[in-house]
PDB file of all heavy atoms in Angstrom:
ATOM      1  N   GLU A   4       0.308   6.012  34.526  1.00 53.00           N
ATOM      2  CA  GLU A   4      -0.165   7.161  33.771  1.00 53.00           C
ATOM      3  C   GLU A   4      -1.248   6.713  32.800  1.00 53.00           C
ATOM      4  O   GLU A   4      -2.205   7.429  32.647  1.00 53.00           O
ATOM      5  CB  GLU A   4       0.994   7.781  32.903  1.00 53.00           C
ATOM      6  CG  GLU A   4       1.979   8.523  33.830  1.00 53.00           C
ATOM      7  CD  GLU A   4       1.415   9.812  34.382  1.00 53.00           C
ATOM      8  OE1 GLU A   4       0.804  10.580  33.655  1.00 53.00           O
ATOM      9  OE2 GLU A   4       1.547  10.005  35.626  1.00 53.00           O
ATOM     10  N   ARG A   7      -4.889   6.335  34.066  1.00 56.00           N
ATOM     11  CA  ARG A   7      -5.648   7.480  34.448  1.00 56.00           C
ATOM     12  C   ARG A   7      -6.911   7.600  33.653  1.00 56.00           C
ATOM     13  O   ARG A   7      -7.089   7.076  32.608  1.00 56.00           O
ATOM     14  CB  ARG A   7      -4.811   8.758  34.286  1.00 56.00           C
ATOM     15  CG  ARG A   7      -3.671   8.923  35.194  1.00 56.00           C
ATOM     16  CD  ARG A   7      -2.717   9.993  34.700  1.00 56.00           C
ATOM     17  NE  ARG A   7      -3.432  11.194  34.251  1.00 56.00           N
ATOM     18  CZ  ARG A   7      -2.866  12.200  33.628  1.00 56.00           C
ATOM     19  NH1 ARG A   7      -1.597  12.154  33.348  1.00 56.00           N
ATOM     20  NH2 ARG A   7      -3.558  13.259  33.274  1.00 56.00           N
ATOM     21  N   ALA A  33      17.075  -2.181  13.012  1.00 83.00           N
ATOM     22  CA  ALA A  33      17.967  -1.661  14.020  1.00 83.00           C
ATOM     23  C   ALA A  33      18.039  -2.526  15.273  1.00 83.00           C
ATOM     24  O   ALA A  33      19.102  -2.593  15.913  1.00 83.00           O
ATOM     25  CB  ALA A  33      17.518  -0.221  14.415  1.00 83.00           C
ATOM     26  N   ILE A  59     -14.727  12.112  19.898  1.00 93.00           N
ATOM     27  CA  ILE A  59     -14.704  12.892  18.623  1.00 93.00           C
ATOM     28  C   ILE A  59     -14.210  14.331  18.925  1.00 93.00           C
ATOM     29  O   ILE A  59     -14.397  15.234  18.175  1.00 93.00           O
ATOM     30  CB  ILE A  59     -16.027  12.960  17.953  1.00 93.00           C
ATOM     31  CG1 ILE A  59     -17.138  13.521  18.840  1.00 93.00           C
ATOM     32  CG2 ILE A  59     -16.457  11.599  17.488  1.00 93.00           C
ATOM     33  CD1 ILE A  59     -18.469  13.758  18.130  1.00 93.00           C
ATOM     34  N   GLY A  60     -13.517  14.532  20.088  1.00 94.00           N
ATOM     35  CA  GLY A  60     -13.108  15.866  20.488  1.00 94.00           C
ATOM     36  C   GLY A  60     -11.807  16.261  19.962  1.00 94.00           C
ATOM     37  O   GLY A  60     -11.096  15.512  19.197  1.00 94.00           O
ATOM     38  N   GLU A  75       3.813  10.020   7.302  1.00 97.00           N
ATOM     39  CA  GLU A  75       4.412  11.020   6.369  1.00 97.00           C
ATOM     40  C   GLU A  75       5.882  11.183   6.658  1.00 97.00           C
ATOM     41  O   GLU A  75       6.724  11.155   5.693  1.00 97.00           O
ATOM     42  CB  GLU A  75       3.739  12.331   6.462  1.00 97.00           C
ATOM     43  CG  GLU A  75       2.223  12.359   5.981  1.00 97.00           C
ATOM     44  CD  GLU A  75       1.516  13.573   6.363  1.00 97.00           C
ATOM     45  OE1 GLU A  75       2.015  14.373   7.219  1.00 97.00           O
ATOM     46  OE2 GLU A  75       0.422  13.803   5.783  1.00 97.00           O
ATOM     47  N   VAL A  82      11.574   5.826   3.353  1.00 97.00           N
ATOM     48  CA  VAL A  82      11.149   5.097   2.118  1.00 97.00           C
ATOM     49  C   VAL A  82      11.689   5.808   0.916  1.00 97.00           C
ATOM     50  O   VAL A  82      12.349   5.118   0.078  1.00 97.00           O
ATOM     51  CB  VAL A  82       9.552   4.972   2.156  1.00 97.00           C
ATOM     52  CG1 VAL A  82       9.154   4.292   0.812  1.00 97.00           C
ATOM     53  CG2 VAL A  82       9.082   4.215   3.326  1.00 97.00           C
ATOM     54  N   GLU A 103       5.871  -3.958   1.622  1.00 95.00           N
ATOM     55  CA  GLU A 103       5.707  -4.994   2.639  1.00 95.00           C
ATOM     56  C   GLU A 103       6.019  -4.448   4.025  1.00 95.00           C
ATOM     57  O   GLU A 103       5.267  -4.640   4.973  1.00 95.00           O
ATOM     58  CB  GLU A 103       6.593  -6.210   2.357  1.00 95.00           C
ATOM     59  CG  GLU A 103       6.204  -6.992   1.115  1.00 95.00           C
ATOM     60  CD  GLU A 103       4.833  -7.522   1.239  1.00 95.00           C
ATOM     61  OE1 GLU A 103       4.413  -8.082   2.300  1.00 95.00           O
ATOM     62  OE2 GLU A 103       4.018  -7.389   0.258  1.00 95.00           O
ATOM     63  N   LEU A 124     -13.134   8.066  13.542  1.00 95.00           N
ATOM     64  CA  LEU A 124     -13.127   7.920  12.117  1.00 95.00           C
ATOM     65  C   LEU A 124     -14.490   7.501  11.613  1.00 95.00           C
ATOM     66  O   LEU A 124     -14.977   7.913  10.552  1.00 95.00           O
ATOM     67  CB  LEU A 124     -12.065   6.953  11.645  1.00 95.00           C
ATOM     68  CG  LEU A 124     -10.626   7.372  12.058  1.00 95.00           C
ATOM     69  CD1 LEU A 124      -9.572   6.381  11.574  1.00 95.00           C
ATOM     70  CD2 LEU A 124     -10.256   8.766  11.475  1.00 95.00           C
ATOM     71  N   ASP A 170      11.354 -11.596 -14.144  1.00 91.00           N
ATOM     72  CA  ASP A 170      10.837 -11.976 -12.809  1.00 91.00           C
ATOM     73  C   ASP A 170       9.364 -11.671 -12.747  1.00 91.00           C
ATOM     74  O   ASP A 170       8.973 -10.603 -12.348  1.00 91.00           O
ATOM     75  CB  ASP A 170      11.665 -11.182 -11.739  1.00 91.00           C
ATOM     76  CG  ASP A 170      11.334 -11.659 -10.313  1.00 91.00           C
ATOM     77  OD1 ASP A 170      10.312 -12.317 -10.118  1.00 91.00           O
ATOM     78  OD2 ASP A 170      12.079 -11.316  -9.382  1.00 91.00           O
ATOM     79  N   ALA A 212       3.186  -6.359 -36.885  1.00 58.00           N
ATOM     80  CA  ALA A 212       2.240  -6.917 -37.828  1.00 58.00           C
ATOM     81  C   ALA A 212       2.872  -7.143 -39.170  1.00 58.00           C
ATOM     82  O   ALA A 212       2.543  -8.206 -39.755  1.00 58.00           O
ATOM     83  CB  ALA A 212       1.134  -5.884 -37.931  1.00 58.00           C
ATOM     84  N   SER A 218       5.782 -13.626 -42.669  1.00 58.00           N
ATOM     85  CA  SER A 218       6.357 -14.916 -42.283  1.00 58.00           C
ATOM     86  C   SER A 218       5.373 -15.950 -41.762  1.00 58.00           C
ATOM     87  O   SER A 218       5.712 -17.143 -41.633  1.00 58.00           O
ATOM     88  CB  SER A 218       7.417 -14.688 -41.145  1.00 58.00           C
ATOM     89  OG  SER A 218       6.754 -14.114 -39.983  1.00 58.00           O
ATOM     90  N   LEU A 226      -3.662 -15.431 -34.680  1.00 60.00           N
ATOM     91  CA  LEU A 226      -3.395 -15.961 -33.371  1.00 60.00           C
ATOM     92  C   LEU A 226      -2.367 -15.125 -32.585  1.00 60.00           C
ATOM     93  O   LEU A 226      -2.511 -14.818 -31.437  1.00 60.00           O
ATOM     94  CB  LEU A 226      -2.950 -17.391 -33.419  1.00 60.00           C
ATOM     95  CG  LEU A 226      -4.012 -18.448 -33.722  1.00 60.00           C
ATOM     96  CD1 LEU A 226      -3.397 -19.828 -33.899  1.00 60.00           C
ATOM     97  CD2 LEU A 226      -5.061 -18.488 -32.617  1.00 60.00           C
TER      98      LEU A 226
END
Side-chain angles (χ1 to χ4, degrees):
E4 288 291 311
R7 289 166 45 189
I59 59 173
E75 292 169 347
V82 178
E103 290 302 314
L124 299 180
D170 187 344
S218 61
L226 286 174

